[in-house]
């Protein structure tokens, strides 16, 4: 097998889940049958779940004790630990597996440190890179990995999954989650826990009010979002997703009445500029802990030009 795999796809489609299934199966011994499944009672399953398997090493965004926040990037010292881990003799005489979860968060120094590992891999070592944005990786890292892309689920499998995990919701509510989650089971379940349906309704209300969105309404939306820890991020994600979906569907000739009305408000390339501006606004607000209420008002102002 190739020594490095790049597992890509949108958030919430199971990339990390698949990586750890690979890891468990390698550490437990290759199966006779064609399956990655491992019984939860298996000792390897339990140790991987507990993060205590001696031949598995995980790298991901870490908690910064100084700032009391999660780091925004994967630090170079964390990646350098991979080399030391791989130089060790396998504790159980088999494979050594490294999972880099969130590889898109590597900075220049940590990416170069990872590249050195990929250039000279030891025998019976497997590196699994989980990444939502492979374009942010160094081309030399991508070229040394086999790529495995996970696509969003289609509506049918999504509906069956949500019926299993969210039986308390009505069929209409689950259908709305299928729409707003865009094929991501993880995102659908997260939105269900964090009032995602209410936020999706708020996004529809805002877009439906364009171009006549009033300043008082913008502040009311901002006040609503200020009541929850994750409401701002989820609202902005859903807002950008709805804009992207409207433009995409209209271009394909599949847009409904509301999407067609929205997209007609400005040229197509201008919608691209708005989407990127909203992305930058959200990123800077979260990165630098800026006033989310003012960011919401500013973002809604971008949508309607100048809010009257």
């Amino acid at each position: 097998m190739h020594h490095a795999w790049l597992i890509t796809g949108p958030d919430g489609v199971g990339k990390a889940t698949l990586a750890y299934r690979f890891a468990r199966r390698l550490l437990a011994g290759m199966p006779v049958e064609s399956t990655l499944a491992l019984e939860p009672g298996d000792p390897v399953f339990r140790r991987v779940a507990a993060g205590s398997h001696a031949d598995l090493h995980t790298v991901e965004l870490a908690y910064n004790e100084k700032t009391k926040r999660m780091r925004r990037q994967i630090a170079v010292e964390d990646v350098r630990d991979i080399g030391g881990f791989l130089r060790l003799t396998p504790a159980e005489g088999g494979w050594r597996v490294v999972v880099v979860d969130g590889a898109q968060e590597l900075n220049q120094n940590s990416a170069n440190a990872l590249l050195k590992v990929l250039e000279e891999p030891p025998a019976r070592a497997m590196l699994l890179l989980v990444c939502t944005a492979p374009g942010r990786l160094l081309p030399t890292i991508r070229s040394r990995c086999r790529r495995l892309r996970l696509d969003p689920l289609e509506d049918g499998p999504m509906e069956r999954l949500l019926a299993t995990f969210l039986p308390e919701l009505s069929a209409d509510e689950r259908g709305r989650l299928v729409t707003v989650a865009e094929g991501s089971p993880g995102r659908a379940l997260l939105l269900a826990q964090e009032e995602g349906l209410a936020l999706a309704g708020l996004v529809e209300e805002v877009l439906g009010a364009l171009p006549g969105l009033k300043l008082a309404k913008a502040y009311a939306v901002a006040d609503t979002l200020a009541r929850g820890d994750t409401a701002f991020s989820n609202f902005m994600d859903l807002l950008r997703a709805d804009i992207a979906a409207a433009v995409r569907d209209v271009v394909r000739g599949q847009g409904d009445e509301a999407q067609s009305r929205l997209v007609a408000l400005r040229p197509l390339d201008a919608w691209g500029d708005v989407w990127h501006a909203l992305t930058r606004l959200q990123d800077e607000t979260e990165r630098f802990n800026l006033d989310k209420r003012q960011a919401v008002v500013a973002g809604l102002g971008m949508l309607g030009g100048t809010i009257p």
Side-chain angles (χ1 to χ4, degrees):
M1 289 188 295
H2 197 68
H3 67 281
W5 290 80
L6 178 59
I7 305 175
T8 67
D11 283 325
V13 295
K15 299 183 299 299
T17 299
L18 182 60
Y20 282 104
R21 282 206 170 200
F22 283 161
R24 287 198 303 260
R25 178 45 72 184
L26 281 172
L27 296 171
M30 296 298 290
V32 176
E33 66 278 7
S34 298
T35 177
L36 291 173
L38 196 64
E39 290 295 329
D42 188 287
V44 171
F45 188 105
R46 294 199 302 269
R47 279 182 285 154
V48 169
S52 61
H53 198 290
D55 291 328
L56 174 66
H57 184 73
T58 300
V59 175
E60 58 190 354
L61 288 176
Y63 184 73
N64 190 325
E65 292 291 346
K66 293 182 179 179
T67 63
K68 305 301 180 184
R69 296 178 185 169
M70 294 297 293
R71 296 182 188 273
R72 288 288 183 175
Q73 297 179 323
I74 294 176
V76 64
E77 54 267 24
D78 293 335
V79 176
R80 285 174 178 158
D81 289 342
I82 296 175
F85 168 75
L86 293 179
R87 284 192 292 271
L88 298 173
T89 301
E92 300 186 17
W95 288 81
R96 285 158 297 171
V97 182
V98 175
V99 176
V100 181
D101 192 359
Q104 70 278 357
E105 306 302 341
L106 293 164
N107 59 33
Q108 183 176 356
N109 291 332
S110 54
N112 285 328
L114 179 62
L115 181 58
K116 291 181 180 179
V117 177
L118 294 173
E119 288 174 338
E120 301 176 358
R124 297 184 68 78
M126 177 70 67
L127 287 92
L128 302 169
L129 279 58
V130 177
C131 185
T132 58
R136 291 169 60 179
L137 296 177
L138 293 175
T140 44
I141 288 180
R142 297 197 303 267
S143 68
R144 284 165 172 78
C145 298
R146 296 281 179 87
R147 185 177 297 194
L148 180 61
R149 174 172 175 79
L150 305 189
D151 293 323
L153 271 66
E154 295 181 355
D155 288 356
M158 281 286 291
E159 290 167 357
R160 293 193 294 273
L161 184 148
L162 296 185
T164 299
F165 286 97
L166 299 172
E168 70 279 7
L169 297 184
S170 68
D172 287 345
E173 289 173 322
R174 291 197 297 269
R176 181 58 179 145
L177 277 177
V178 168
T179 300
V180 299
E182 297 188 307
S184 169
R187 180 153 181 73
L189 296 174
L190 185 64
L191 288 172
Q193 295 172 357
E194 298 180 350
E195 299 185 351
L197 290 174
L199 292 176
L202 191 59
V203 168
E204 286 185 356
E205 186 179 339
V206 165
L207 295 179
L210 296 177
L213 186 67
K214 303 296 184 182
L215 182 60
K217 178 61 178 178
Y219 275 107
V221 171
D223 289 339
T224 299
L225 299 179
R227 298 169 192 159
D229 293 336
T230 60
F232 170 78
S233 295
N234 286 332
F235 175 83
M236 294 297 285
D237 287 346
L238 291 169
L239 181 64
R240 290 185 296 109
D242 271 20
I243 291 172
V247 173
R248 181 177 63 245
D249 290 348
V250 167
V251 169
R252 293 174 177 172
Q254 301 171 349
D256 58 26
E257 182 179 349
Q259 290 177 317
S260 299
R261 187 197 65 80
L262 174 67
V263 173
L265 295 177
R266 63 182 72 210
L268 288 177
D269 57 348
W271 278 118
D273 294 339
V274 169
W275 189 93
H276 286 293
L278 290 172
T279 301
R280 185 168 55 252
L281 175 67
Q282 179 181 355
D283 181 66
E284 292 177 352
T285 300
E286 295 173 338
R287 183 183 299 272
F288 301 114
N289 198 28
L290 303 180
D291 187 338
K292 294 179 180 177
R293 188 168 181 268
Q294 289 301 319
V296 171
V297 175
L300 297 185
M302 292 176 190
L303 288 177
T306 301
I307 294 181

